[in-house]
Amino acid sequence: PRFRTARVHVPETHEERIIAVLDDTEGVLAEFNAALTELGEEGAWDRVVDLARIGASSTDPHHAHAARRMSATMLVRHAFERSEEDLAERFAPLDRAAAVLVPALEEHPHEPELLDLLGMVALGLGDIASARHLFQTVLDIDPSHDAAPDHLRACGARGKHGWSGVAATAERLAPTYSRARSRVKGIAEAARHLPERTISLCMIVKDEEEMLPGCLEAVAPYVDQLIVVDTGSSDRTREIAAEHGATLVEFAWTGSFSDARNEALRHATGDWVLYLDADEHLVEDDGARLRDLARQTWVEGWQLVETHFLGAAELGAEVAHTPMRLFQRRPDYVWSGVVHEQVSATLPTWLPGRIRTSDVRINHFGYLARVVDGRDKRSRNLGLLMSQLEQGRTAFTCFNIGTEHGSAGRWNDAVTWFEEALTLLRTEGAAGLEQQYAPLLVLRTVGSRRETGDVAGAIELAVEALGWWPDYTDLVYELCIAHVLSGDLDEAERLARQALALGDAPSRYVASAGKGSFQARMLLSTILRRRGDHVGAREQLETAVREAPHYLASAIALTELLLDAPGVDASEASRQLDELLADRATGVISNMVVGAVFHEAGHYDVADERYGRVLAAIPTHGGGLLARAELRLAQGALRDAWETALAIDPLDAMAPRGGLTAFLAAAALDDPALLEQPADRIAAATEQLPAAERAVYVAWRALLQPAGSAASIPTLVPTGASASGAVLRNLEALAKLEATDAFERLYPLLAQVVPDEQVRRMALAELYLRRRFADMAGEELFVCAERFGADAPVLTGLGKVATMKEMWEDAEIFLSESLQLDPGQSDVRGLLDAVRAKAAG
């Protein structure tokens, strides 16, 4: 048999190599850069035009655009590097740039970057009128264009020379542009007429009857199609979608959010796709600008400004970032990822100008505590993310798993996943740091290191990352906190002031509102207060409240500072706070929050006045009635507390907590007849109160009956955190009220819900320590030491007992031994220093 030797052709020229990788984004860009660099050095302008034509033949329109843009940019740059005296050297590359740009713009006139380049060609060739017309066109269709204003001013600097003065030279040295000049005006005119484009809203929902109406009402006037994919709602979600004219698509849940979103895409007919979740609402009046964005057809995707409202709504915490929410509907643009799904991976994020940021705003309410608590989002997302690991362990998936653990406060788990995500991201080099989520990953890794005690590691990573993103204010803020924990208050103060100088981080980051303003002032106030500068601390907090009266955490901190001052007049402090809060001084939420601070500080009259403002505005306000009931309880007005708590409407969300307060008041009054109503409310709170906690109140009620005793405790009272927490909480409340008899009646139930004697005695000891019952705490701790050994918590507790009794030598011994067993107790170390100072003084 004969064997033939096959000859493999290896591409040798730039043209051949580009053809070989024409549809490979990374490969074709690299080849173009290499080719243009070499051909530019050689002055081979005709070959550059040939390369542009080859690139324009790509089936990928973004590759075609990039080829023309890169080629024309190189030609214009080389032309302007030539002396103006050497017209032949200057005009040749400009003329070849015209050969690239004119046909490209006649095919697609709405390309600001190519129009600007053609304007530079006209400017360089002396056609000032055409250049001015082109640059003005760029600004008319894209007012935010970076270069066109400077280029337009350059036209003025060149004077008002007409084409007639340079036409003969241009015809000889730039024949392509000279012949095409009459078409340039037509290109500019065509570019000015931006086409109208349609928008489809695509949503996926399940059980969103609370949030969906507000979402659809805000967006419906500004889109052409509403598509709502329902994945199994059991409430009125479907009816609400239909009432708003949406196309309702029922889709069986597959465990993948991408599957559901791609189903919505399948039904979309608009030129653009806007996607929102039900808890995301367009800000009033911003929706009208969506039409302007859609007309900018050279953009493939728009990032909108989204503000996340976090935690308790009344505290006003916000985080903003710019996710991509509006993109052109193309077959290649699809979603991927089972959770925290992404569409941007299929868009040309590598091509400058194709992804832009708008100032259209979205408010996101899904991270509010009441919303999160009402759904099982975290466990659902975590399960989906863990299943996604089977498809590959990516930095993004690990980041999202860490985020779910962190949002639940599981910092040891969170830091493990964040560290793995960061390790994977580092393997991608510079490209990894360019990922949109990279700064947030680093920020959360720094925070989780700090939360798990690795303050030095947090500082090290934050310092490194600020070398990459020096304007990321949130990272400066986090570094400041780490230095506070490390005890370096000089550096902490410098960083807090640096955050203020930077201001809030740019929207390209996921940035918390106030980290460069009112939150930074709060942090600076804490630092100044530790340094003994109470005047400076107060000034920072007052400024913070003025800057952001909606952020009530500042008002809380200022109230606490005012009340800590020697010889404080609580009424005067309240008046000063009202001046700073201005219009918000009469608000229901602000009076509830600030009233609670006065309440906790024991200024009951001022707290009562604050709660009175709430009830004057809304007499049936459940939170106001509950706050006043708990205030009456603290004042010892037990019957009044009972009546006020039960005045809450049974259907109000606060009614179950009102039942708990009324039950406690009845127990302290030792009046079994008053137990019935609160017991009924507690029993009815099947959704608000855990079954174990409800069972505690059934058992407690049995103990409060005339013949009640330990034998009366139902045998089915469960153990566990919910039940033990309820018993200990009420024991502490009764101790605070000095309701000794009621305390003794409840006490037997503690052994039922906390059968472990060591755990039970330590819990009691901690309760007694908080109430400053030193002898009773000491008794429990000594029993624990004798029966179970003197471990660090026991020794720490005994040290605190000795401190309360001013037995400084004993306190020093106990605390020192505790630290020997567990050196990581920073609070104990601080207490030991204070004890030694007392002993020495």
Side-chain angles (χ1 to χ4, degrees):
R2 294 186 304 165
F3 295 90
R4 296 186 179 183
T5 302
R7 178 173 295 177
V8 179
H9 175 68
V10 178
E12 296 181 355
T13 67
H14 288 303
E15 290 84 351
E16 289 178 326
R17 287 197 291 272
I18 286 173
I19 290 172
V21 294
L22 200 54
D23 293 321
D24 172 13
T25 299
E26 187 174 339
V28 75
L29 291 178
E31 286 295 341
F32 248 94
N33 276 320
L36 292 176
T37 298
E38 183 177 318
L39 296 179
E41 292 173 353
E42 296 174 358
W45 312 130
D46 287 332
R47 286 188 65 189
V48 173
V49 176
D50 291 339
L51 287 184
R53 288 173 179 156
I54 292 170
S57 69
S58 172
T59 56
D60 185 324
H62 305 306
H63 291 175
H65 172 80
R68 288 161 163 166
R69 180 171 165 178
M70 292 169 69
S71 300
T73 299
M74 187 274 283
L75 289 165
V76 170
R77 178 172 57 80
H78 274 280
F80 277 85
E81 288 173 353
R82 266 52 177 184
S83 169
E84 292 192 29
E85 304 301 322
D86 191 348
L87 293 183
E89 287 294 315
R90 189 177 179 85
F91 277 26
L94 290 175
D95 191 54
R96 306 323 292 147
V100 173
L101 292 168
V102 171
L105 284 166
E106 286 181 327
E107 184 180 355
H108 299 292
H110 306 112
E111 289 288 357
E113 295 303 327
L114 300 190
L115 288 166
D116 185 68
L117 283 167
L118 185 56
M120 293 300 291
V121 170
L123 180 65
L125 293 173
D127 186 1
I128 307 301
S130 294
R132 184 181 292 110
H133 191 40
L134 285 163
F135 295 140
Q136 188 59 58
T137 298
V138 172
L139 289 174
D140 287 345
I141 67 173
D142 187 6
S144 63
H145 194 277
D146 290 335
D150 290 337
H151 295 163
L152 191 57
R153 284 190 289 271
C155 290
R158 291 293 182 99
K160 299 182 179 180
H161 304 298
W163 173 252
S164 58
V166 296
T169 303
E171 185 173 350
R172 178 170 57 85
L173 297 178
T176 303
Y177 180 83
S178 183
R179 289 192 301 270
R181 182 173 177 271
S182 60
R183 294 149 61 190
V184 170
K185 183 178 180 181
I187 287 171
E189 290 303 318
R192 288 174 180 270
H193 299 290
L194 296 177
E196 293 296 331
R197 287 291 185 261
T198 56
I199 303 173
S200 294
L201 172 71
C202 291
M203 303 182 67
I204 60 174
V205 297
K206 180 181 179 183
D207 293 333
E208 294 286 3
E209 65 178 0
E210 178 184 2
M211 292 287 186
L212 186 58
C215 176
L216 293 177
E217 287 162 12
V219 72
Y222 309 110
V223 299
D224 303 280
Q225 183 185 27
L226 300 173
I227 300 171
V228 175
V229 172
D230 186 271
T231 60
S233 293
S234 57
D235 60 5
R236 292 194 66 254
T237 294
R238 294 187 184 90
E239 290 82 355
I240 292 167
E243 289 164 6
H244 286 80
T247 298
L248 182 65
V249 180
E250 295 190 19
F251 182 74
W253 178 244
T254 64
S256 168
F257 284 89
S258 289
D259 289 350
R261 292 209 188 275
N262 287 330
E263 177 66 13
L265 284 180
R266 198 170 67 82
H267 294 270
T269 59
D271 300 303
W272 290 79
V273 172
L274 170 69
Y275 79 93
L276 297 173
D277 290 331
D279 53 13
E280 297 172 324
H281 299 181
L282 276 175
V283 172
E284 187 176 2
D285 298 332
D286 280 16
R289 295 206 295 279
L290 289 173
R291 295 291 184 191
D292 295 332
L293 303 185
R295 295 172 70 213
Q296 297 186 33
T297 55
W298 59 92
V299 179
E300 293 296 313
W302 283 101
Q303 295 171 323
L304 309 186
V305 179
E306 182 165 22
T307 299
H308 305 278
F309 296 93
L310 308 177
E314 60 270 17
L315 295 183
E318 302 172 8
V319 169
H321 75 136
T322 52
M324 222 247 300
R325 289 310 181 94
L326 180 68
F327 57 90
Q328 294 212 45
R329 186 174 66 87
R330 301 189 188 279
D332 294 339
Y333 297 168
V334 293
W335 297 89
S336 60
V338 297
V339 65
H340 297 296
E341 62 283 5
Q342 300 285 305
V343 71
S344 56
T346 58
L347 270 71
T349 54
W350 51 271
L351 185 54
R354 284 325 200 219
I355 308 299
R356 299 277 296 275
T357 300
S358 162
D359 59 357
V360 173
R361 295 166 295 170
I362 303 169
N363 286 336
H364 179 214
F365 303 104
Y367 293 148
L368 288 175
R370 64 178 180 82
V371 178
V372 174
D373 291 346
R375 304 176 180 181
D376 195 19
K377 284 185 174 181
R378 293 192 183 111
S379 59
R380 175 204 66 190
N381 288 352
L382 192 55
L384 292 172
L385 287 165
M386 295 304 291
S387 68
Q388 189 167 314
L389 287 177
E390 298 173 3
Q391 303 170 22
R393 216 171 180 90
T394 67
F396 188 60
T397 300
C398 292
F399 160 71
N400 286 319
I401 293 173
T403 296
E404 295 300 333
H405 284 296
S407 64
R410 296 187 294 268
W411 293 109
N412 287 321
D413 292 324
V415 72
T416 300
W417 289 102
F418 286 144
E419 296 287 4
E420 180 172 353
L422 186 57
T423 298
L424 291 170
L425 200 69
R426 286 181 186 275
T427 64
E428 300 177 27
L433 298 180
E434 291 171 3
Q435 296 288 336
Q436 188 177 26
Y437 70 93
L440 185 59
L441 165 61
V442 171
L443 182 72
R444 290 179 177 171
T445 307
V446 170
S448 61
R449 285 183 181 183
R450 172 178 58 77
E451 290 284 355
T452 53
D454 183 11
V455 176
I459 291 173
E460 180 183 9
L461 178 57
V463 170
E464 179 187 14
L466 283 170
W468 308 327
W469 309 298
D471 59 345
Y472 193 10
T473 312
D474 296 55
L475 200 52
V476 176
Y477 183 94
E478 184 65 49
L479 181 58
C480 178
I481 294 175
H483 278 288
V484 170
L485 293 175
S486 73
D488 188 351
L489 296 184
D490 287 342
E491 180 64 5
E493 181 176 345
R494 186 193 70 78
L495 288 163
R497 296 189 186 280
Q498 180 182 338
L500 287 170
L502 285 171
D504 286 357
S507 60
R508 65 178 176 274
Y509 301 111
V510 178
S512 296
K515 290 294 172 67
S517 52
F518 52 90
Q519 287 199 60
R521 293 192 186 281
M522 279 189 64
L523 184 53
L524 179 56
S525 172
T526 300
I527 296 165
L528 294 175
R529 195 172 176 185
R530 289 193 182 187
R531 307 188 78 167
D533 183 1
H534 293 275
V535 173
R538 177 173 173 173
E539 288 174 352
Q540 291 297 330
L541 283 176
E542 288 177 346
T543 304
V545 174
R546 289 193 194 97
E547 284 182 346
H550 70 281
Y551 188 69
L552 292 178
S554 302
I556 292 171
L558 178 58
T559 306
E560 292 172 343
L561 183 78
L562 293 173
L563 293 180
D564 278 349
V568 63
D569 182 329
S571 297
E572 175 61 17
S574 181
R575 186 195 64 76
Q576 292 174 13
L577 198 63
D578 280 347
E579 288 182 1
L580 290 168
L581 288 171
D583 292 343
R584 289 186 176 265
T586 58
V588 168
I589 294 175
S590 60
N591 279 296
M592 285 290 298
V593 171
V594 173
V597 180
F598 284 100
H599 183 163
E600 288 296 319
H603 298 288
Y604 295 149
D605 290 344
V606 177
D608 198 24
E609 189 270 334
R610 290 274 179 179
Y611 297 152
R613 296 183 196 181
V614 175
L615 295 173
I618 310 174
T620 59
H621 192 278
L625 288 168
L626 179 64
R628 176 163 276 177
E630 293 179 345
L631 178 63
R632 294 289 180 261
L633 198 65
Q635 292 173 313
L638 301 179
R639 183 73 188 217
D640 195 359
W642 182 87
E643 291 175 353
T644 305
L646 292 178
I648 301 171
D649 188 315
L651 299 179
D652 192 286
M654 293 291 107
R657 287 186 59 188
L660 301 180
T661 299
F663 195 104
L664 178 63
L669 284 166
D670 197 16
D671 188 343
L674 298 180
L675 295 171
E676 182 176 355
Q677 289 187 61
D680 288 345
R681 291 203 175 183
I682 293 169
T686 55
E687 294 185 3
Q688 297 91 340
L689 297 176
E693 187 168 352
R694 299 198 307 274
V696 163
Y697 282 88
V698 172
W700 189 8
R701 186 178 182 187
L703 289 170
L704 291 169
Q705 299 308 309
S709 66
S712 306
I713 300 175
T715 57
L716 296 180
V717 177
T719 59
S722 181
S724 62
V727 173
L728 287 165
R729 183 180 68 244
N730 282 290
L731 283 172
E732 186 160 0
L734 292 169
K736 185 176 181 180
L737 290 170
E738 298 183 4
T740 306
D741 290 343
F743 187 98
E744 294 298 331
R745 301 287 289 276
L746 177 59
Y747 180 80
L749 187 54
L750 185 61
Q752 180 80 10
V753 297
V754 188
D756 186 308
E757 182 187 359
Q758 183 180 10
V759 174
R760 183 170 69 250
R761 288 189 178 276
M762 286 300 297
L764 274 171
E766 290 168 5
L767 185 159
Y768 294 144
L769 284 170
R770 286 193 296 271
R771 303 309 319 156
R772 301 193 68 80
F773 299 154
D775 290 336
M776 298 174 71
E779 183 179 338
E780 298 294 336
L781 291 164
F782 276 120
V783 172
C784 281
E786 290 173 355
R787 296 185 183 179
F788 310 107
D791 59 9
V794 169
L795 291 168
T796 294
L798 289 170
K800 291 178 179 179
V801 169
T803 301
M804 289 179 189
K805 297 172 77 68
E806 298 185 1
M807 300 166 62
W808 307 121
E809 291 184 6
D810 290 344
E812 183 176 359
I813 292 170
F814 287 133
L815 296 173
S816 298
E817 291 183 359
S818 176
L819 282 171
Q820 288 179 9
L821 294 175
D822 182 5
Q825 303 175 87
S826 57
D827 56 333
V828 176
R829 193 171 300 280
L831 179 58
L832 178 59
D833 291 341
V835 165
R836 285 173 172 163
K838 282 285 187 180

